[in-house]
Structures are given as C-alpha cells and as structure tokens.
Amino acid sequence: MAAVGDTIPDVEVQVLGDDGFPKPVRTGEVLGTGKVVLFSVPGAFTPGCTHIHLPGYINGYDELAAKGVDDVFCVAVNDPWVMAAWADATAAEEIHMLSDGNADFAVAMELTMDATGFGLGVRSQRYAAVIEDGVITALRVEQGPGIDVSSCIAVMEVL
C-alpha cells in the first residue's frame, strides 16, 4: 500500500477534454507539483460519494486553498464522461476529476477493493492524500464503510 514518504505513482488516467473526448494525463504530472489534495471514491454518483464525500471538498475548497493547497483532485474507477457528468451534477467546478477507468492508479497505489459482489469489479478504496511536489505527506484510508478519516474536515486537520 502507498505510504507517507512515497512518490505518487505515475500512471495514465483520463480527463474529459474540452472537445468532449477523453484526454490522457499522467498522475505524476498532474499530482506532482505544488501542494495537492487527492481523494478517492469507490464510484461517482454513489450515495456516500455524492451526498457526503464530494460535497465536503466542494464546500471546503476555499479553506483548503487558504491552508496552501494548490489543487484538489478526485479519482474514481469510472470513465471520463461519468466523472464529468458527476462534476456537472454536483457543481464541482474547482475539483479536478480524474478517470481511473481500468483501476491502474488504484492498483499502483495498492488501494483497491473487490466490489464484484455488487457487479462493480475492482474499485478504489476510499482515501485522501496530501501530496507535496509528488511526495505523499499524509494518507488517510478508510478502514470500512463511512467517510471519516478521508473527509475534507479530517484532511484539514493534517494541513
């Protein structure tokens, strides 16, 4: 499992480009400069992710910025169209959505979970990380259901 002091894995994920087509980006590039908060959710549009986790970061964005955070990213094992639609549906204008459609980033972080029993395949565990110039300085992984240690409020406590 990824740990404090590790360099963030550099794998290809996708964002939805202005032309409406997926655009590949490297996690080492988008997460590797400045102070970044990254939070991962098991799936876009799922209840806890949509009603609690993402809104916490939307509402806390200004406070994170005031604490020196340059960017906030959300990653999920969903396609880029779903991630963009989720951002639109929740008015997540300041949050950068990363599509980890094949779970490559989740695997590289060693933070996967098996959701095949729900028909969802391999997904990412719920977690939040503070990354400074590509190095993980804080990592908070949920140990079960719920949104506690990876919430925006919890992350603000370690900034």
Side-chain angles (χ1 to χ4, degrees):
M1 179 173 82
V4 170
D6 289 352
T7 299
I8 199 74
D10 184 25
V11 300
E12 185 176 288
V13 295
Q14 295 183 335
V15 297
L16 197 61
D18 292 336
D19 60 0
F21 289 97
K23 175 184 166 190
V25 296
R26 303 287 307 180
T27 54
E29 291 175 21
V30 296
L31 303 173
T33 303
K35 185 184 280 190
V36 173
V37 170
L38 169 71
F39 68 102
S40 179
V41 298
F45 289 108
T46 58
C49 303
T50 299
H51 301 297
I52 300 168
H53 211 183
L54 178 57
Y57 283 93
I58 294 168
N59 296 330
Y61 182 84
D62 289 339
E63 192 170 344
L64 289 168
K67 290 181 174 269
V69 172
D70 298 305
D71 284 304
V72 178
F73 290 83
C74 176
V75 64
V77 180
N78 290 108
D79 67 58
W81 292 281
V82 168
M83 295 300 285
W86 190 38
D88 288 344
T90 58
E93 298 163 3
E94 302 291 339
I95 311 298
H96 302 283
M97 297 294 192
L98 299 176
S99 167
D100 186 22
N102 294 322
D104 295 335
F105 185 71
V107 168
M109 289 285 286
E110 297 180 31
L111 286 168
T112 60
M113 65 180 224
D114 181 0
T116 54
F118 300 101
L120 301 173
V122 173
R123 294 289 173 136
S124 178
Q125 291 183 45
R126 186 182 305 278
Y127 66 87
V130 178
I131 305 161
E132 296 187 39
D133 293 325
V135 177
I136 300 169
T137 59
L139 179 62
R140 309 191 89 188
V141 181
E142 298 291 348
Q143 297 304 307
I147 303 161
D148 299 309
V149 301
S150 66
S151 71
C152 185
I153 291 170
V155 167
M156 282 193 249
E157 293 172 0
V158 299
L159 291 174

